[in-house]
Amino acid sequence: MPPAGLGEQPGLEVDFGMLFQVAPVGLAVLDADLRYIRCNEFLAEINGIPASEHLGRTLRELLPELASEVEPRFRAVLETGKPQQGLQVTAITPRAPGLRRTFIENVAPLRDSSGKVGGLLIGIQEITALEETEAALRESERALRASQQLSPECFAILLAVRDEKGKVVDFIWEYANPAAEAIVRAGPLAGRRMLDVFPGSHDHPQMVPRYLRTLATGKASEVEYAHEFRGVTYWYRDAAVRVDRDRVAVGFRDITAQKRLTERLELVTGEFRHRVKNSIAVVAGLVSREAKFARSVPEFADALRNRLASLAAAQDLLTVDADSDVALADIARAALSPFEGHRLDVRPGPEVAISSGRVTLLAMALHELATNAVKHGALSAPEGEADLSWRVEGGRVALVWSESGGPPVAAPTREGFGSRLIADAAERLPNGGLEREFRPSGLRVTIAFDREDGAAT
């Protein structure tokens, strides 16, 4: 019987028998004993049994395994008159012996003119391939999640939150792997909104606004950006790709350490260039001044060699950390190490830091004092002695070079290269000053300057 209303349309004729045969689903009509009255070709192909061989035979005669699973449901429809939709069953049919296949069945009651249920209309669709595909997808998803759980790379799925007009107003962290949660430093992320985790993310051009563009255009993007979180600036490399209409996959990495290292390298490289230029200038000055004051080529070579050794020792101190301060004790040790064996005593005082830009000249000044003592001063005499010490009072450092037991000393009639070098070193120190005392007991030189770290001892 055609559905109510169709037969009443003037000029409209529908061949329901033809529709039954050409329907793209398996269709069958069973009587109250579950015998096949009709069977279309689609169902015959599903079962692997010709349509004509279905007719007059029961479901159990044709497909005993399937009958055991569906007969109770079919009889329930016969008894109650209530259809059942979406019944999922698995069975082996003659079409593919040994292969368990999956079907979806819809069962509707057929009534006679008195309204009594006298048969069933069965619609059948095979979903074996769909089930296999879904199973493969589930397995793939499990494998992906397992790999993401172990991956050191950060990965997250962001789900769009839309308002009543369909506009995206935020994102929810639908999934975040452990690496992502560790870097974000905000605890578990799944189910939380982006605004809750990163309150400023909507205003940051490389965060929510970029994810919105990715969602709208489908165009993947990768950027590096800085983001301040809880008072600390972090750098990230972030790639985003659209998954579907409402989801964006994001992979990101914390590159803060890499950025800081790059900045550090740039700083060190700049410092290195600066020091190379300074060293060349110092060497040029040494050559020029030694040539002016030396009385012979051997004297010139010897003096230049000693001063270059002092310069090299000072540079060794700086290569440990290009932009950090150097302890005064380390400078004294490096500058005076060539004079081991002489009666030279270094008596370290309180810890004093010297900024890197002043180390070279100060080391050369100390080397110059020792050189003069060995050539002309106390260390040139068998019983002569020299010592270096320093003290700090009221934030002011007094670095004292003292000689005794040497030949008589007197103020020079002219200022030589060494004297000028020592004076230059003193002037380069913070609020630096120089005092020379030519005492009967020996030379005493005091270099005074402000302590750079501001501490007082």
Side-chain angles (χ1 to χ4, degrees), residues 348-371:
E351 184 175 336
V352 175
I354 304 297
S355 62
S356 59
R358 299 182 172 101
V359 169
T360 299
L361 205 54
L362 180 57
M364 294 184 69
L366 295 179
H367 186 277
E368 183 65 26
L369 286 168
T371 299

Side-chain angles (χ1 to χ4, degrees), residues 65-83:
E65 181 185 7
L66 181 61
S68 298
E69 186 170 354
V70 301
E71 273 187 357
R73 302 178 186 180
F74 287 3
R75 295 197 183 281
V77 176
L78 287 170
E79 293 172 2
T80 65
K82 295 181 179 179

Side-chain angles (χ1 to χ4, degrees), residues 6 46 66 104 109 142 179 188 196 236 240 284 287 348 357 377 388 402 427 447:
L6 282 181
I46 288 176
L66 181 61
I104 290 290
R142 282 194 294 268
D196 294 336
Y236 298 98
V287 171
L388 177 70
S402 181
E427 291 173 2
I447 300 174

Side-chain angles (χ1 to χ4, degrees), residues 39-352:
C39 170
N40 71 354
E41 292 298 330
F42 201 98
L43 178 60
E45 184 178 349
I46 288 176
N47 290 340
I49 302 172
S52 60
E53 294 184 18
H54 283 73
L55 304 181
R57 301 174 68 182
T58 65
L59 178 62
R60 183 166 292 279
E61 290 172 343
L62 288 175
L63 303 166
E65 181 185 7
L66 181 61
S68 298
E69 186 170 354
V70 301
E71 273 187 357
R73 302 178 186 180
F74 287 3
R75 295 197 183 281
V77 176
L78 287 170
E79 293 172 2
T80 65
K82 295 181 179 179
Q84 293 199 26
Q85 305 288 328
L87 300 178
Q88 184 168 322
V89 297
T90 59
I92 297 174
T93 69
R95 178 184 176 184
L99 176 63
R100 186 162 294 279
R101 299 155 67 197
T102 305
F103 305 91
I104 290 290
E105 298 192 358
N106 296 317
V107 187
L110 294 176
R111 302 176 186 274
D112 59 20
S113 58
S114 66
K116 180 181 178 181
V117 176
L120 301 173
L121 175 63
I122 313 296
I124 302 174
Q125 187 105 28
E126 182 173 1
I127 60 168
T128 305
L130 178 61
E131 284 284 295
E132 291 174 348
T133 301
E134 289 179 347
L137 286 174
R138 287 192 295 271
E139 182 61 30
S140 176
E141 183 179 358
R142 282 194 294 268
L144 176 61
R145 285 184 179 270
S147 67
Q148 288 298 335
Q149 291 292 105
L150 299 174
S151 174
E153 298 292 326
C154 303
F155 178 78
I157 300 292
L158 303 179
L159 174 64
V161 177
R162 299 180 183 272
D163 61 16
E164 63 278 2
K165 296 181 179 179
K167 180 182 178 182
V168 178
V169 294
D170 200 0
F171 286 95
I172 288 177
W173 296 81
E174 187 174 49
Y175 170 78
N177 71 348
E181 292 185 340
I183 281 185
V184 172
R185 304 171 182 87
L189 295 174
R192 298 172 64 184
R193 293 180 69 145
M194 178 72 78
L195 273 175
D196 294 336
V197 178
F198 293 122
S201 58
H202 279 232
D203 299 322
H204 196 299
Q206 302 303 341
M207 297 183 74
V208 169
R210 184 168 62 89
Y211 300 153
L212 290 174
R213 289 195 300 274
T214 299
L215 197 64
T217 66
K219 185 177 180 181
S221 63
E222 184 172 1
V223 297
E224 292 182 3
Y225 65 87
H227 178 66
E228 185 173 317
F229 183 63
R230 295 178 180 174
V232 180
T233 298
Y234 297 94
W235 276 89
Y236 298 98
R237 178 176 292 118
D238 184 305
V241 61
R242 185 174 68 185
V243 177
D244 56 32
R245 177 180 178 272
D246 291 313
R247 290 172 177 81
V248 176
V250 180
F252 56 99
R253 181 189 306 171
D254 186 340
I255 59 170
T256 306
Q258 179 182 335
K259 278 288 184 179
R260 288 173 180 166
L261 178 60
T262 300
E263 292 170 357
R264 172 79 171 162
L265 289 174
E266 290 174 353
L267 182 64
V268 170
T269 301
E271 178 70 14
F272 176 74
R273 292 195 186 102
H274 176 69
R275 286 184 181 162
V276 167
K277 291 179 181 178
N278 283 350
S279 297
I280 292 173
V282 170
V283 171
L286 290 175
V287 171
S288 175
R289 292 185 181 184
E290 290 295 344
K292 180 178 179 181
F293 292 103
R295 290 185 291 271
S296 66
V297 172
E299 181 182 346
F300 167 78
D302 185 56
L304 184 60
R305 186 181 303 111
N306 287 335
R307 290 195 170 102
L308 289 177
S310 174
L311 175 63
Q315 291 299 315
D316 284 342
L317 291 173
L318 296 175
T319 55
V320 175
D321 195 342
D323 63 353
S324 65
D325 296 340
V326 180
L328 179 55
D330 291 337
I331 297 172
R333 190 178 304 111
L336 301 179
S337 61
F339 302 95
E340 291 180 1
H342 292 278
R343 298 167 69 89
L344 172 58
D345 185 24
V346 178
R347 294 183 286 118
E351 184 175 336
V352 175

Side-chain angles (χ1 to χ4, degrees), residues 407-427:
V409 295
T413 56
R414 66 184 181 90
E415 186 181 56
F417 172 67
S419 298
R420 184 65 256 168
L421 179 63
I422 296 168
D424 287 347
E427 291 173 2

